[in-house]
Structures are given as structure tokens and as C-alpha cells.
Amino acid sequence: MVQISHIPLYRTLTFKVSIALIAFFILNGVLLVLWNQADIMNDLEIDIQTAYRTTALEITEEIENPETDINDMSVFFDSLSQYYPGMELFLVAPDGEIQEHGSYVPSQLINSHVSIDVIDSFIQADTSDYPIEIAIPTATDLDFVFSAAALGSPTDPYAYVLVTMVEGGEDVVVSWWEEYGVILTRTILFSIIIAGFAGIIFWYFLTRRVQNVAQAVQNYRAGDSRFVLNDEASDEIGHVAMHVGDMMERIDAMFGELGRKEKMRTELLASVSHELQTPLTVMQGNIETLVEHREKMSEADLSMKLSAVYSQVRHMSALIDDMFDVAILETGQMRINAEPFPMVELVEDVLQSYALLLEQSKITVERDFPESIQTVNADPLRIRQVIRNLLSNAIKFSSPGGSIRITTEVKSNEILSFRIEDTGVGIAEDDIGKIFESFYRSKQQLEKTVKGTGLGLHICQHILKLHNSTLEVKSRLDIGSTFSFDLKLYKEVVTI
Ligand SMILES: Nc1ncnc2c1ncn2[C@@H]1O[C@H](COP(=O)(O)OP(=O)(O)O)[C@@H](O)[C@H]1O
Ligand SMILES: [Mg+2]
């Protein structure tokens, strides 16, 4: 048998499904986060700007306070930016020139001029209009004005105050990871747990069961058929398990049957050789004597030797006939050709052929046949063989003066019962079970040198089995034996 390397299909499948589930959940989570991110960011920016605008307005009010020393602006700016890290303050002249500049994080001016139009439009604009973009004089990457205010008269200000933010200085804007990292981590963890559960369920309901079937087949292949498949579910795997179980049972039965037949054949062959050996030895002895001492032998001795040889030849012929029958019935080739025939006529015919033997053995026969024609539906040649064997047994195993009683009886309107009783030696209780075995002959009979093959009853039993009938026996040692069997009647009994 070819050893195929084992690829655990379902385990691989489970693994793939779990990975696919994890990937699906993560992708799902990321997409949801990204989708929501745009909205969240927008709202966040507006919140941040509102907060800083409030601060910027407070600062402007502070500058406009008469107590504030505007001339010492740089000191004021520096002190303010200590409280508001990240905030930058500019004092702008009415022509747009930056006069003062202060910030917590040191920064250089890259532009000394800002557009007054933009600042004016910001001051006049509705405060809810965010953001207003402006090129920031110190930064390259932050371009939102958070607040601006005019100093002095609103129509003719002597200067402007501009408040912006520099990036990194504020702690309100958090990084993408800080904002979404937790959600993403939870998504990943959740998806791993879900996929894990799905994997376990998959494994439990599919892999484990398929593995059981595979294990059973593997064990069976290794010669261990004790492993029982007990998956009784009505799904596909259950069906596979059931069919595999059935298959194993059938293979077992087939091998069992093969082994039994093989054993029987070997035993038969051994018995045949043994059975043929005895008559051949007897014949050989007699023929040797005839060859070597023929001239010196008397006529009576000569005919005695010859008849001994003849008797062995007849025995061998009977043995070979019986063995042929056994061979065809063992191989299942024995066929029954059923046809209607009158049973009593057949019995009379067989009795006729044994008339001389019966007379010589001084055995009387009693007939108990009802006065009606009993037509049975059976194979006449095979039934004749059965009756002949039963009658010859009854004669063989009876002593002179004994009697044999043959009965045919209609049981119900469909069955004819045949019975043959003798007053012979009977069969010991221990032997009754064995007399149907091939080559079985009770020792007691062998000692008395009664001729026989020990195949007769074995063949009879099979012939009757093929007629859906059985050969029954009742016997008591030294009292007698009764053999009986039933046959189907061909049609209803017709009275003569
Ligand atoms: N009518 C009978 N009375 C006593 N013993 C019998 C009778 N019929 C069969 N037996 C026993 O059953 C054995 C098997 O019978 P059978 O198969 O016909 O073989 P065989 O007639 O060649 O001995 C006989 O050897 C005998 O011991
Ligand atoms: Mg016999």
C-alpha cells in the first residue's frame, strides 16, 4: 500500500478561516476609524481654534488695559508666552510692519510684513468663521490666525495685536495613534478572540470528527479493528463515518468468510486424502497377493481377494461421488431444479432398490402413507439422494430383526412432512450435533466396520437447506433414531 503523507486538510482550513476572520475584523475596524476620523478631526480643529481665540481675545483686552505698559511689549509678550506655551504674539504697525514678536519657543521672523487687509477682514468678520488663513511670519507649517485685535480707535488703530499658535507647543492636538491606537488595539484583540472562538468551534465540529474517521481508517489499516466509529450525526461527516464503519464490518465479514472457507477447504483436502488412503492400502495389499501368489491360490481364495478389491473400488466410487457433491455445495454451485412429483412413488422406488438388502438384513419396513397423492415441488433427483442416504443409514445402523417406519404426512395444506424411524443403535447425545459435519462417523460405528463416508448427512442437510427446509434428528442410544424434514406441496391434496 502506498504511504501518502498526511496533510491535515481541516486543520489548515480552520487556520485559514481564522486568519481570514482576523484580517476581516482588522480591516473593518481600520475602515470605520478612517471613516469617522475626517469628521472627528474637523470638529476637533474648530474646538481648538475656539479655545485659542478666547485666549487671544483675553490677551488683547489685557494689552488695551491702560495699566499695561505697552512700551515694554517684549517683556509682556515673553511673560505671556510663559503661561501659554506655543502661542506667538505679534505687534503689527498700521502699515503691516511687525514691530514686536514674542514666543515661548524661540523663533525667527521669516517675514517682517503681514497683510493688514486680512487682519482687518478678520476683525470685522463673524467670529464663527474659522479658520482664516494667513501666512505666518515665523512658521512655515502653521498657517491659521487664531485671533487679532486693533489697538486704539477701531477706525484708526495705532497698532494691531496678532495671536497665532506654533505647532508642538499645544497639547490639545493629539497624534493619530494616541487618538485611534486604543480603538485599533481593541479591534485587533477582539478579532483575535472572535477568530479564536470560530477556530475552536470549527475544529470541534469538523476537524475533530473528520480526524476520528481518519483515525479509525488508519487504525483499521494497521490491523486494529476494535476502534469503533460512533459518530451518529445525520450530516455528511456522520454519513461518511457510517459508511466507513459499514465498509469495515463488511471487509471483516468477507475476510472472516474467506478464512472460514479456506480452513474448510484445507480440512476437506486432508480428510479426502485420508479417506482415500484406507481403501487404496487395502486394495494394494490384496492386489500384491494376487500378483505374487496367483498360481498357488485356490479358486475360493482368488474370488475372495477379488471381491475384497471390488468392494474397495465401490467404496471409493461412492466416496468420490459424495466428495463431488460436497465440492459443488461448498463452492455454492449446487443448483436445485424444482418440479412437481409424487412423493410416495419416489419413496417406494427407493425402497424397491433396497429390497434385497432389507431382506438380507432381516429388517421390516412399515409404511404410513395416507391414501392420497402427495405432489411436492422439489428436485426429485436430490430428494431421492436424501431418502436413499436416510434409508441406507437406517438399515446400516439397525440389527437384524429391527424395523423401519416411514411416514409421509400433510401438515396444513401446504407442507408435506417426511419421517423415517428406526429401532437401531441410536446416536449418543454428544454425537448428535456432529453427525452433520463432513466425514463425521461415530467411533462406535467405525469400530463395527460399517461402510460409509461420513458425508451423507452433510450433503442431505445442504440439499434440504437449498429447499428452504431442515433435516431434523431425534435419537436415543440403543433405542433408535428418527430423521425428518418438510417439503412444500405442489398443490392441494386430491383424494383418489
Ligand atoms: N439412523 C442412524 N442411526 C444411528 N446412527 C446414525 C444414523 N444415521 C446416521 N448416523 C450416524 O451419523 C454418522 C454420519 O452419517 P452419514 O453422514 O450418512 O455418513 P455414513 O453413512 O457414511 O456413515 C454415521 O456414521 C452414524 O454414526
Ligand atoms: Mg450415510
Side-chain angles (χ1 to χ4, degrees):
M1 213 175 275
V2 187
Q3 182 74 43
I4 305 162
S5 67
H6 178 61
I7 303 159
L9 170 73
Y10 275 89
R11 204 186 301 157
T12 322
L13 190 70
T14 308
F15 182 70
K16 284 180 184 165
V17 168
S18 302
I19 293 290
L21 273 175
I22 292 175
F24 170 76
F25 277 108
I26 291 174
L27 192 71
N28 207 24
V30 169
L31 281 179
L32 279 176
V33 163
L34 289 178
W35 193 2
N36 289 317
Q37 188 193 17
D39 292 345
I40 293 169
M41 274 305 212
N42 209 26
D43 292 348
L44 197 70
E45 263 164 18
I46 289 170
D47 286 349
I48 291 167
Q49 287 190 35
T50 310
Y52 285 142
R53 174 137 202 195
T54 313
T55 313
L57 285 171
E58 279 168 14
I59 293 165
T60 318
E61 273 167 29
E62 192 73 23
I63 291 169
E64 282 178 329
N65 191 338
E67 285 170 26
T68 309
D69 184 1
I70 199 81
N71 297 323
D72 207 2
M73 195 59 88
S74 66
V75 177
F76 174 70
F77 276 9
D78 283 348
S79 67
L80 259 183
S81 56
Q82 296 301 312
Y83 291 104
Y84 302 98
M87 193 171 269
E88 275 191 289
L89 295 135
F90 302 90
L91 186 70
V92 184
D95 60 353
E97 272 301 308
I98 295 173
Q99 292 178 336
E100 284 292 341
H101 156 239
S103 68
Y104 177 68
V105 182
S107 59
Q108 285 290 313
L109 282 179
I110 47 168
N111 245 331
S112 60
H113 199 91
V114 288
S115 161
I116 289 299
D117 290 349
V118 175
I119 296 173
D120 270 343
S121 69
F122 177 79
I123 290 167
Q124 280 148 32
D126 191 303
T127 51
S128 64
D129 281 352
Y130 299 108
I132 288 180
E133 290 188 28
I134 188 169
I136 298 303
T138 56
T140 49
D141 54 354
L142 191 79
D143 46 7
F144 297 125
V145 168
F146 290 109
S147 192
L151 296 176
S153 146
T155 48
D156 184 23
Y158 62 88
Y160 294 92
V161 168
L162 206 67
V163 183
T164 69
M165 294 300 299
V166 287
E167 205 173 19
E170 82 282 11
D171 50 12
V172 179
V173 178
V174 289
S175 71
W176 188 90
W177 175 252
E178 277 174 277
E179 188 71 14
Y180 303 107
V182 176
I183 300 174
L184 201 65
T185 314
R186 284 179 190 166
T187 307
I188 291 171
L189 271 177
F190 181 71
S191 59
I192 287 174
I193 292 168
I194 292 282
F197 270 117
I200 289 168
I201 289 168
F202 230 86
W203 176 82
Y204 187 80
F205 287 107
L206 291 174
T207 313
R208 191 185 53 95
R209 293 172 55 206
V210 172
Q211 263 174 357
N212 277 353
V213 179
Q215 189 64 46
V217 174
Q218 207 172 340
N219 284 9
Y220 187 79
R221 211 175 70 171
D224 179 8
S225 53
R226 286 167 302 158
F227 194 88
V228 189
L229 270 171
N230 49 8
D231 194 320
E232 277 160 10
S234 58
D235 57 15
E236 287 85 343
I237 297 176
H239 281 175
V240 169
M242 192 184 78
H243 291 312
V244 167
D246 277 0
M247 207 171 69
M248 287 175 180
E249 268 172 33
R250 270 173 48 198
I251 293 173
D252 273 349
M254 251 162 63
F255 274 114
E257 178 73 2
L258 271 179
R260 209 178 53 79
K261 277 198 174 151
E262 190 55 41
K263 193 167 160 248
M264 234 158 61
R265 211 158 290 157
T266 318
E267 278 173 5
L268 193 69
L269 202 67
S271 310
V272 165
S273 321
H274 178 78
E275 292 296 317
L276 288 175
Q277 194 62 47
T278 319
L280 278 171
T281 312
V282 176
M283 277 163 73
Q284 199 181 2
N286 285 316
I287 291 168
E288 259 170 25
T289 316
L290 280 170
V291 170
E292 285 168 22
H293 310 290
R294 193 180 29 186
E295 281 95 39
K296 292 175 241 162
M297 282 170 82
S298 69
E299 202 57 33
D301 276 352
L302 212 64
S303 88
M304 203 182 76
K305 291 280 172 207
L306 278 172
S307 72
V309 171
Y310 179 58
S311 152
Q312 293 304 323
V313 168
R314 271 207 330 226
H315 175 64
M316 272 178 72
S317 167
L319 193 62
I320 288 165
D321 277 353
D322 280 355
M323 277 179 341
F324 180 73
D325 277 348
V326 171
I328 61 167
L329 66 87
E330 292 293 355
T331 51
Q333 287 172 322
M334 188 181 271
R335 295 278 172 270
I336 291 302
N337 300 313
E339 58 179 79
F341 65 86
M343 184 67 169
V344 175
E345 263 178 45
L346 187 94
V347 177
E348 285 293 1
D349 211 36
V350 176
L351 278 171
Q352 191 58 43
S353 64
Y354 280 91
L356 191 65
L357 187 62
L358 282 164
E359 205 180 304
Q360 283 169 352
S361 316
K362 297 190 174 58
I363 293 167
T364 51
V365 176
E366 285 175 47
R367 295 164 169 81
D368 188 1
F369 306 146
E371 287 183 352
S372 57
I373 298 167
Q374 294 147 355
T375 311
V376 291
N377 192 31
D379 187 326
L381 289 178
R382 290 300 180 190
I383 296 300
R384 178 188 289 268
Q385 193 179 351
V386 172
I387 295 169
R388 224 174 30 218
N389 185 54
L390 294 180
L391 183 62
S392 87
N393 281 353
I395 300 168
K396 272 198 295 192
F397 303 115
S398 291
S399 319
S403 73
I404 295 171
R405 185 187 179 86
I406 302 177
T407 313
T408 62
E409 188 185 10
V410 174
K411 284 205 290 189
S412 76
N413 265 351
E414 291 158 22
I415 303 252
L416 179 106
S417 183
F418 174 90
R419 195 162 64 239
I420 177 164
E421 296 159 77
D422 64 53
T423 52
V425 293
I427 306 161
E429 218 171 296
D430 290 347
D431 290 345
I432 284 196
K434 302 179 198 160
I435 58 170
F436 297 108
E437 289 170 16
S438 53
F439 293 112
Y440 180 81
R441 300 170 70 197
S442 70
K443 287 199 183 87
Q444 173 202 10
Q445 298 310 323
L446 286 172
E447 280 161 14
K448 286 188 184 174
T449 65
V450 177
K451 288 227 167 62
T453 61
L455 291 174
L457 287 180
H458 180 70
I459 297 169
C460 290
Q461 194 196 33
H462 270 84
I463 290 173
L464 288 166
K465 208 166 151 191
L466 291 171
H467 282 87
N468 293 322
S469 179
T470 44
L471 184 56
E472 310 273 355
V473 56
K474 273 186 207 137
S475 185
R476 282 178 68 192
L477 211 53
D478 296 328
I479 291 179
S481 315
T482 306
F483 285 84
S484 61
F485 61 86
D486 290 347
L487 283 180
K488 270 211 186 99
L489 278 172
Y490 175 62
K491 53 185 178 185
E492 283 185 25
V493 183
V494 179
T495 318
I496 306 169

